[in-house]
Amino acid sequence: MYEPNVVGDWQEYDEHAGLRVRVHQLRAAEPPRGRDDAAEGLTYFAVRVTVENRGERHFGIHLEDGQIDVRVGPDGESAFIDWRNSQFIEGFDVYPLRRATAVLFAAGPEAALSQVDVQIQLRVDEEWTGRRLWAGGVGLDEGQAGAHTAAGRESLAHQISNFLREQAEEGTA
């Protein structure tokens, strides 16, 4: 079974030796050029996507709009992505032992931001890589994200634990 990465994890690409990517620094943040009118009533957050080359040759990297999908909340609703404030990686050559970072600004209902999924599909030397998913939440430390996100089994176990705790408390009153 495919399991998502936790925000902060590195994901290696087997088809491109030495190339790896990670989604990290998921945090509440206001966009630098001001809020978009379409995000009225939503809470902004930022996420960084870093591509690192630990291989022996350079790779041409593209990480632009349409290659990043952000979903929030338990139902996986699409987050508002502020393309005007975001910074992408557009046709950049990442040489050995170098990195390139994209910064994405998005917004969603504040109550849904404890559960954020970010899907990335990198284009490397004009070839598409497989899609990779990172799960986390705004306000969670990157080390804690795996225990509190909707990453499959952990989320279900957390819900069951809460349900049983509530049932036990009702029975003792």
Side-chain angles (χ1 to χ4, degrees):
M1 177 178 156
Y2 173 77
E3 291 190 23
N5 297 293
V6 174
V7 169
D9 286 350
W10 286 99
Q11 172 67 56
E12 306 270 339
Y13 286 102
D14 295 333
E15 63 271 22
H16 302 288
L19 190 66
R20 64 187 196 159
V21 66
R22 81 174 172 160
V23 171
H24 58 111
Q25 294 184 4
L26 177 59
R27 61 183 170 74
E30 285 295 317
R33 293 185 205 113
R35 298 175 63 89
D36 190 300
D37 293 341
E40 186 176 336
L42 301 176
T43 302
Y44 264 92
F45 60 95
V47 62
R48 298 172 76 87
V49 180
T50 298
V51 179
E52 181 179 69
N53 184 356
R54 298 176 68 130
E56 297 179 5
R57 67 174 197 86
H58 78 277
F59 295 101
I61 303 298
H62 299 272
L63 184 58
E64 305 166 310
D65 57 344
Q67 293 173 254
I68 303 172
D69 190 13
V70 180
R71 302 285 167 161
V72 297
D75 293 329
E77 293 185 23
S78 183
F80 169 79
I81 299 189
D82 191 333
W83 303 114
R84 182 177 57 109
N85 281 295
S86 297
Q87 302 164 352
F88 299 100
I89 303 170
E90 300 178 27
F92 190 77
D93 289 334
V94 181
Y95 283 84
L97 304 177
R98 297 284 191 245
R99 293 180 174 176
T101 300
V103 180
L104 182 74
F105 285 90
E110 187 171 359
L113 298 185
S114 64
Q115 206 167 327
V116 178
D117 295 328
V118 180
Q119 184 172 274
I120 304 292
Q121 186 173 23
L122 205 58
R123 199 168 80 203
V124 180
D125 294 331
E126 303 305 321
E127 289 181 28
W128 293 99
T129 63
R131 284 179 232 163
R132 300 292 191 264
L133 181 69
W134 281 261
V138 174
L140 298 177
D141 290 337
E142 289 182 6
Q144 298 175 335
H148 293 91
T149 63
R153 296 188 314 258
E154 288 102 11
S155 177
L156 182 58
H158 188 69
Q159 290 175 12
I160 291 170
S161 177
N162 286 342
F163 173 76
L164 292 174
R165 189 177 308 113
E166 289 170 5
Q167 294 299 314
E169 290 171 0
E170 287 177 13
T172 59

